[in-house]
Amino acid sequence: MDFAMSAKAADYHKRLTDFMTEFVFPAEADYHGYREEAGPDDHTVPPVVEELKALAKEQGLWNLFLPPVSGLTNLEYAPLAELTGWSMEIAPEVTNCAAPDTGNMETLHLFANEQQRKQWLEPLLAGEIRSAFAMTEPAVASSDARNIETTMLRDGDDYVINGRKWWITGAADPRCKIMIVMGRTNPDAASHQQQSMILVPTDTPGVDIRRSLPVFGWQDQHGHCEILFDNVRVPAANLLHEEGSGFAIAQARLGPGRIHHCMRALGAAERALALMVDRARNRVAFGKPLAEQGVVREAIAKSRNEIDQARLLCHKAAWTIDQLGNKSKDAQVQVAQIKAVAPQVACDVIDRAIQVHGGAGVSDDVPLARMYGWHRAMRLFDGPDEVHMRTIARAEIGGEQSTFASAACAQPSSTVTS
């Protein structure tokens, strides 16, 4: 098991590092200035994003997340995703590696037919449009896709969709033209075969984007939306793959995507640690720099340990998917591990950085408050921590015990008395 960067990955890493340093970080003030002036209800993209997209495409820093396009393995892409996490609101999108588009492009690549790929995958890969993935519902525990209640019933050459979704990321963005919607097509089938996925253009009659939900009071530029589907009629040709395959598609979609999320989270944690160290070096309190305070040193040391441990776990999961595939039992358990670990690490490191910054840490003068809000939410989306912990525990309890472990756990055949 070798996690060393390949020559190709190292080249991408250097070029992406230079791109981030020279263009992305300097653009953050412009990005946030535009959003503040526009106001929270304006979800148009700041122009600097489109400028950087064109530049990233010119430099070949484009669609790095998709192995058939980039030629990178999941392990090779992992440290690149981490770099983009340092500027979570800009870098993923300007390299066309932002969720939910990445997961949707992977889904379309794997399951769409030729016409669907031409109509929707190609403009997504070109960065000409954006997309959304509509699975989560307010009335059910959507971490188990079998609970989804939205109906998609066949009516002649169409499907008619009725239901309510929420936390649908990206749907408020004017550039969002297509949604992959998950719903129930056959309630009488086996529990894993009741759901299907279908392509729904956002301008379809009956699609009512009710509102964008803020996260800790912060409105994301792309929006996290509540959507009502009221007798939405789409052609049966929009169905992805085949009826009853929705649950399987969801599982295939989430594996690599969770690795991407987790590596970006560690990038954010690295930035928070860098801010914490900078603050500790330069802030003087009670007559000496914070860096000389034992409690601050401990916060820095804990953060370094936790980030490095989580990174190794993420790289192991990526390596396992590359070796065994996304559907392997080992890969599924390791993805559950990183999804339970990485967001918590990010939250813990960011929280320490906020504490070291004092009042400044909860202001918008530094990015820590926004970073914390996003990564605290990450402990819920793509499955809450508790669901992933259950997966890990089931694997431990249900796995076959090794001969070595059996011997160590065996009760003694006799007792010694004195």
Side-chain angles (χ1 to χ4, degrees):
M1 193 178 294
D2 184 2
F3 299 157
M5 278 194 201
S6 67
K8 178 191 292 186
D11 175 64
Y12 272 115
H13 195 273
K14 181 183 184 306
R15 291 193 287 127
L16 183 57
T17 298
D18 292 343
F19 180 78
M20 295 275 297
T21 303
E22 187 173 354
F23 299 108
V24 173
F25 293 138
E28 289 180 341
D30 190 355
Y31 178 93
H32 291 296
Y34 180 94
R35 297 243 32 236
E36 289 170 8
E37 185 175 344
D41 296 327
D42 188 336
H43 294 279
T44 56
V45 65
V48 70
V49 170
E50 296 295 346
E51 295 168 10
L52 291 179
K53 282 170 63 177
L55 188 58
K57 190 181 292 188
E58 286 177 10
Q59 296 191 8
L61 299 171
W62 192 255
N63 292 331
L64 303 176
F65 73 97
L66 192 59
V69 174
S70 67
L72 294 166
T73 65
N74 286 290
L75 179 58
E76 287 175 322
Y77 176 62
L80 306 180
E82 180 179 334
L83 280 179
T84 65
W86 280 69
S87 184
M88 60 184 186
E89 291 167 303
I90 299 179
E93 178 170 3
V94 301
T95 54
N96 215 37
C97 294
D101 290 338
T102 48
N104 289 341
M105 286 187 273
E106 288 169 331
T107 299
L108 291 168
H109 175 79
L110 290 171
F111 299 103
N113 60 39
E114 185 175 349
Q115 176 57 37
Q116 292 167 342
R117 290 191 188 104
K118 183 174 181 60
Q119 186 174 5
W120 301 115
L121 178 58
E122 289 183 10
L124 281 169
L125 287 170
E128 297 168 355
I129 63 172
R130 294 214 62 176
S131 62
F133 182 70
M135 185 180 86
T136 303
E137 299 181 2
V140 299
S142 305
S143 55
D144 186 339
R146 293 171 296 181
N147 293 330
I148 297 302
E149 293 181 343
T150 294
T151 58
M152 304 193 309
L153 302 179
R154 185 71 180 258
D155 182 25
D157 292 332
D158 297 329
Y159 281 94
V160 179
I161 307 170
N162 283 283
R164 185 182 296 271
K165 304 285 187 179
W166 77 337
W167 294 111
I168 308 308
T169 299
D173 193 315
R175 299 167 299 162
C176 181
K177 303 301 181 185
I178 189 68
M179 292 182 286
I180 298 178
V181 180
M182 187 167 185
R184 185 168 291 182
T185 48
N186 186 356
D188 298 322
S191 61
H192 286 80
Q193 298 176 332
Q194 295 179 7
Q195 303 80 19
S196 302
M197 291 193 187
I198 199 162
L199 295 162
V200 180
T202 53
D203 61 358
T204 305
V207 174
D208 181 6
I209 301 176
R210 290 289 181 91
R211 58 175 176 150
S212 174
L213 293 96
V215 177
F216 288 102
W218 176 258
Q219 274 285 4
D220 184 81
Q221 183 262 305
H222 312 295
H224 306 293
C225 296
E226 181 179 1
I227 305 176
L228 179 65
F229 295 85
D230 184 10
N231 289 318
V232 175
R233 185 175 289 268
V234 295
N238 284 24
L239 187 73
L240 273 178
H241 199 42
E242 58 188 24
E243 269 201 16
S245 63
F247 187 87
I249 293 174
Q251 294 305 302
R253 181 185 191 277
L254 288 172
R258 284 172 174 153
I259 292 176
H260 304 165
H261 272 310
C262 290
M263 292 308 301
R264 286 192 292 265
L266 294 183
E270 284 284 8
R271 183 169 187 175
L273 177 55
L275 288 166
M276 189 184 343
V277 170
D278 185 71
R279 176 76 169 185
R281 287 170 173 166
N282 295 296
R283 176 70 167 183
V284 175
F286 304 105
K288 59 183 178 180
L290 290 178
E292 295 183 22
Q293 302 285 354
V295 67
V296 174
R297 290 187 175 191
E298 182 177 357
I300 291 169
K302 277 186 177 180
S303 298
R304 170 50 61 210
N305 288 346
E306 291 169 7
I307 293 171
D308 286 357
Q309 290 166 350
R311 179 183 294 110
L312 287 171
L313 193 58
C314 285
H315 285 185
K316 182 183 179 184
W319 180 90
T320 301
I321 288 182
D322 289 335
Q323 299 299 314
L324 303 179
N326 187 34
K327 295 181 180 180
S328 72
K329 182 71 173 179
D330 286 349
Q332 291 174 355
V333 173
Q334 288 174 28
V335 168
Q337 286 181 278
I338 64 170
K339 184 56 176 64
V341 168
Q344 182 66 70
V345 167
C347 284
D348 290 345
V349 175
I350 296 167
D351 185 68
R352 293 182 195 121
I354 289 172
Q355 198 71 14
V356 170
H357 278 75
V362 294
S363 76
D364 286 341
D365 287 357
V366 290
L368 293 168
R370 288 195 302 272
M371 289 164 62
Y372 183 85
W374 173 258
H375 292 93
R376 182 59 184 85
M378 191 178 166
R379 293 184 55 202
L380 296 169
F381 63 69
D382 277 4
D385 290 357
E386 292 79 5
V387 168
H388 296 296
M389 296 295 275
R390 182 181 63 181
T391 297
I392 299 161
R394 281 179 172 175
E396 286 295 310
I397 295 168
E400 184 176 351
Q401 195 171 46
S402 69
T403 302
F404 186 83
S406 296
C409 295
Q411 294 296 320
S413 57
S414 63
T415 57
V416 177
T417 60
S418 57

